Amino acid sequence: MTPDRRTFLIGSSLAVAGLAFGAQARKPQQQRGTRLILLGTKGGPTLGLTGRSNSATLLLINDIPYVVDCGYGVSRQLISAGVSLDRLRYIFITHHHSDHNLEYGPLIYNAWVAKQPPRIDAYGPIGLEKLTRDFFNYMKFDIDTRIVDEGLADPRRLVTVHEFASAGLVMQNKDVKVRSLRVRHPPIRESYAYRFDTGDRSIVISGDTAYAPELAKFAENADVLVHEAMYLPAIDKLTRQFAAAPRLREHLLAAHTSTEDVGRIAAQAHVKTLVLSHFVPGNDPEITDEQWAEGVRKYFNGRVIVGKDLMEV
Ligand SMILES: [Zn+2]
Ligand SMILES: [Zn+2]
């Protein structure tokens, strides 16, 4: 058996195992409704050392996966969450920092070799079309070889890219309405939050942003707000450790939201549940859950969850 053939078979059997697991583990009525699962909760481009994978969030709406951001590790995290990759259907990118898109192409690729999902729709700001095209060019030799050798469909035809340059309605189907809001993440201008309104829940994902009062309006009365979080005392500790840190600190403060300000946004928005994710710094095991939550609690009296990878909310 050639390595290529083996890879293909492993992919197929994984997909079959996933389907079998799904059939046994979930009763039909449990597939209805909206589930939210954190796939990766670390902020920033470096790899997680503390059990946090890079940024990615999953919504299962009537059992259809909607993946928001594709940080490194998203394919593996999806499998760990019980979603076989041949089920991949919708992808949303908040902005084009690598901790949100590094595994965008590879996720599509992994779904393709898993069992060729019938169709993938990808949504995101300007640049997504080029990113998609460039990824397929990057993998052209392998893709063209497998199409001939293994009879796979052309993955370039599996993906439909929907690029946008302003906020508003992103997509709508019978299960969900998705809207976007431009947030504050300098120097990147094309950075968006997403709001998913389904039959049973409303869920907002902040993406990367500095304190943005308009986000409170956008998230008004949502059941769940998943918001990025920055812990200032740890940033100050970092500043003392590295020569380049003052510049990094300046960037972080201009582009991300302190836990206190996250609390303000959640309070202004009157959300039921606030989930902290995209932790900055994301690699400091000394920061306790209580420390992440204490700034938030100064302003927000609702339910606060300090996110963990593969946690379902
Ligand atoms: Zn980020
Ligand atoms: Zn970013």
Side-chain angles (χ1 to χ4, degrees):
M1 185 185 283
T2 67
D4 277 351
R5 183 70 185 143
R6 187 160 58 238
T7 305
F8 177 68
L9 287 175
I10 289 168
S12 301
S13 60
L14 257 184
V16 170
L19 287 172
F21 172 80
Q24 285 169 7
R26 287 191 296 272
K27 297 191 176 92
Q29 66 267 28
Q30 288 175 310
Q31 295 183 12
R32 305 300 300 171
T34 305
R35 300 172 63 197
L36 170 65
I37 298 169
L38 308 177
L39 297 178
T41 57
K42 183 189 171 295
T46 57
L47 289 189
L49 304 173
T50 54
R52 293 192 189 281
S53 191
N54 297 80
S55 200
T57 307
L58 168 69
L59 278 81
L60 282 167
I61 303 172
N62 296 334
D63 217 32
I64 308 287
Y66 296 67
V67 178
V68 182
D69 282 333
C70 297
Y72 187 83
V74 64
S75 306
R76 178 67 59 193
Q77 292 298 88
L78 264 178
I79 293 169
S80 299
V83 176
S84 56
L85 297 183
D86 59 306
R87 291 173 54 199
L88 183 65
R89 180 66 184 85
Y90 296 105
I91 299 174
F92 298 82
I93 300 293
T94 58
H95 66 296
H96 293 301
H97 263 147
S98 66
D99 52 323
H100 301 258
N101 71 12
L102 188 61
E103 201 168 312
Y104 163 72
L107 174 61
I108 294 169
Y109 181 95
N110 291 335
W112 174 57
V113 290
K115 210 188 168 188
Q116 305 184 40
R119 180 184 172 144
I120 296 168
D121 286 278
Y123 301 84
I126 284 179
L128 191 63
E129 254 175 44
K130 182 173 186 313
L131 196 73
T132 311
R133 222 172 29 246
D134 287 352
F135 173 75
F136 285 133
N137 283 334
Y138 175 81
M139 291 307 299
K140 187 176 187 330
F141 174 80
D142 173 276
I143 288 169
D144 289 346
T145 303
R146 280 181 207 281
I147 288 172
V148 174
D149 223 25
E150 299 174 17
L152 297 178
D154 190 333
R156 290 160 286 222
R157 291 201 207 107
L158 294 177
V159 185
T160 307
V161 177
H162 310 262
E163 232 182 47
F164 53 84
S166 59
L169 181 66
V170 175
M171 64 88 77
Q172 186 166 16
N173 61 27
K174 67 179 177 31
D175 293 327
V176 64
K177 182 177 180 180
V178 185
R179 287 177 291 146
S180 69
L181 172 80
R182 190 192 295 273
V183 285
R184 305 182 186 192
H185 193 46
I188 294 180
R189 194 177 128 74
E190 299 295 326
S191 187
Y192 293 87
Y194 288 109
R195 178 172 178 135
F196 293 77
D197 287 291
T198 73
D200 62 327
R201 284 176 109 183
S202 47
I203 295 172
V204 176
I205 294 169
S206 71
D208 283 12
T209 182
Y211 176 69
E214 59 273 28
L215 181 60
K217 179 101 180 79
F218 183 68
E220 202 160 37
N221 298 320
D223 294 302
V224 183
L225 169 61
V226 180
H227 202 298
E228 68 131 87
M230 173 172 61
Y231 186 61
L232 285 178
I235 302 298
D236 291 335
K237 193 172 94 182
L238 267 179
T239 310
R240 290 192 292 272
Q241 285 172 353
F242 303 107
R247 181 141 179 230
L248 176 65
R249 185 179 193 278
E250 203 179 304
H251 159 76
L252 290 175
L253 295 194
H256 296 284
T257 309
S258 70
T259 50
E260 280 81 2
D261 282 343
V262 177
R264 283 194 183 97
I265 294 291
Q268 288 161 25
H270 305 290
V271 297
K272 292 194 186 77
T273 299
L274 171 67
V275 179
L276 301 182
S277 189
H278 193 282
F279 294 96
V280 175
N283 262 344
D284 188 341
E286 290 177 13
I287 311 172
T288 64
D289 285 3
E290 189 41 50
Q291 285 174 314
W292 280 114
E294 68 186 359
V296 170
R297 291 213 175 93
K298 289 179 195 163
Y299 299 94
F300 179 61
N301 296 322
R303 183 174 174 228
V304 180
I305 293 174
V306 179
K308 303 263 189 306
D309 285 17
L310 301 178
M311 176 188 266
E312 178 165 355
V313 178

